[in-house]
Amino acid sequence: MKLLEIKNLHTIAEDDNNKKILNGLDLVINEGEIHVIMGPNGSGKSTLANTCFHSPKYIVTKGNIIFDNEDITNKETDYIAKKGLFMSFQTPVEIPGITLANFLKATKKSSTGVNPNVYTFYKEVNENMEKLNMDKEYTKREFNIGFSGGEKKKCEILQLLTLNPKLAILDETDSGLDVDAIKTVSKGISLFKNNKNAVLIITHSTKILESLKVDKVHILVNGKIVKTGDARLAKEIEKEGYNKYLNEN
């Protein structure tokens, strides 16, 4: 069953003189699948992720985004998140004055509309932190304040496991991480993934993919998906780069 369908998507960047970024992008992600998007810098990978969340920086000039059988192209970000779309960021934000525990509890309540049972909720959070090799004392610290890059990325995956969305878009969650941290992030994705949800990973590296069963890899060039294949396509890019696809497009 289709979970995400993007049809002929065109976008411009309002804060960059209305520069065209996405140029007729098509993508279908079904329940139970892991998809990967790779591409050179400036090809539109992060723009795609942000456009799915109706970022004010990007304007859709043509096309549609269908999520869970509903056109969300012009829906507000809050609505989209509550519907079950999740996004992790390349550079996670820091929020002084709010502990990690309170942040997780507030986002869970906001996404479900129900105040979670405190005992059950924190038991689940602590179990997930243990699986992600995170110090449980971090729940008492201000959100991402003083966290290392790896700790911030683990925190993003902890949010993913806590919120349990229908579709997770992970925008270079592996960037800047050492080998051990990448393995932990991959483990978190595996813990989240089931046959009713889906994952879209945006990455430059194949390291995060090594322990995951990837269904499709897409190459994005100049705002369009120019090639789709299986996990072997990611290996090809790792070995040969993007020149072949840049020259063709």
Side-chain angles (χ1 to χ4, degrees):
M1 179 178 173
K2 292 179 184 177
L3 194 54
L4 179 72
E5 183 175 14
I6 299 175
K7 302 178 181 179
N8 194 31
L9 191 64
H10 292 70
T11 66
I12 58 175
E14 189 174 32
D15 59 355
D16 192 12
N17 296 317
N18 291 338
K19 178 183 177 182
K20 293 181 180 179
I21 302 182
L22 299 182
N23 297 294
L25 188 145
D26 295 295
L27 177 66
V28 173
I29 299 177
N30 297 311
E31 290 180 342
E33 294 182 339
I34 295 179
H35 286 231
V36 177
I37 288 185
M38 305 180 74
N41 290 331
S43 59
K45 301 185 299 298
S46 292
T47 297
L48 171 61
N50 282 284
T51 301
C52 286
F53 271 88
H54 199 207
S55 167
K57 293 183 178 180
Y58 305 103
I59 298 173
V60 175
T61 58
K62 190 176 181 181
N64 301 88
I65 303 169
I66 313 297
F67 175 57
D68 196 22
N69 296 315
E70 182 179 0
D71 191 329
I72 62 167
T73 311
N74 297 306
K75 297 291 185 181
E76 293 301 317
T77 301
D78 183 61
Y79 178 88
I80 294 167
K82 289 178 178 177
K83 188 170 172 63
L85 199 57
F86 173 92
M87 178 178 168
S88 72
F89 299 93
Q90 288 186 42
T91 308
V93 298
E94 298 179 355
I95 308 177
I98 303 294
T99 65
L100 173 58
N102 285 338
F103 178 87
L104 292 172
K105 188 169 179 286
T107 53
K108 184 71 171 181
K109 179 181 178 181
S110 178
S111 65
T112 62
V114 178
N115 203 11
N117 176 278
V118 174
Y119 174 78
T120 304
F121 178 74
Y122 285 120
K123 181 175 182 291
E124 180 184 342
V125 168
N126 286 332
E127 288 174 352
N128 286 331
M129 291 185 81
E130 187 173 335
K131 292 171 184 175
L132 296 174
N133 299 319
M134 293 181 72
D135 188 338
K136 294 174 186 176
E137 288 297 307
Y138 278 34
T139 56
K140 302 175 184 177
R141 291 173 57 178
E142 293 177 296
F143 186 76
N144 280 337
I145 302 295
F147 287 23
S148 68
E151 289 164 346
K152 288 180 179 179
K153 297 302 179 72
K154 288 181 183 180
C155 189
E156 295 281 286
I157 299 301
L158 178 62
Q159 293 172 58
L160 170 65
L161 296 177
T162 301
L163 295 174
N164 193 28
K166 296 174 184 174
L167 173 63
I169 300 178
L170 308 179
D171 189 7
E172 298 194 30
T173 304
D174 55 334
S175 64
L177 301 186
D178 61 27
V179 173
D180 290 336
I182 289 176
K183 287 181 179 178
T184 300
V185 169
S186 293
K187 180 182 179 181
I189 296 170
S190 296
L191 289 169
F192 162 73
K193 173 72 175 53
N194 60 48
N195 61 5
K196 287 295 183 181
N197 61 28
V199 181
L200 174 60
I201 301 171
I202 297 170
T203 185
H204 283 288
S205 170
T206 60
K207 293 294 183 184
I208 195 173
L209 310 179
E210 290 178 356
S211 58
L212 298 172
K213 182 184 178 298
V214 173
D215 294 282
K216 291 184 180 180
V217 175
H218 310 279
I219 306 303
L220 184 61
V221 174
N222 295 328
K224 281 184 82 169
I225 290 175
V226 297
K227 178 73 173 180
T228 295
D230 56 22
R232 290 173 293 183
L233 182 55
K235 290 292 185 182
E236 175 196 313
I237 294 300
E238 183 180 46
K239 185 183 294 185
E240 301 177 12
Y242 298 106
N243 283 341
K244 172 183 175 182
Y245 301 102
L246 290 169
N247 294 333
E248 289 178 353
N249 293 274

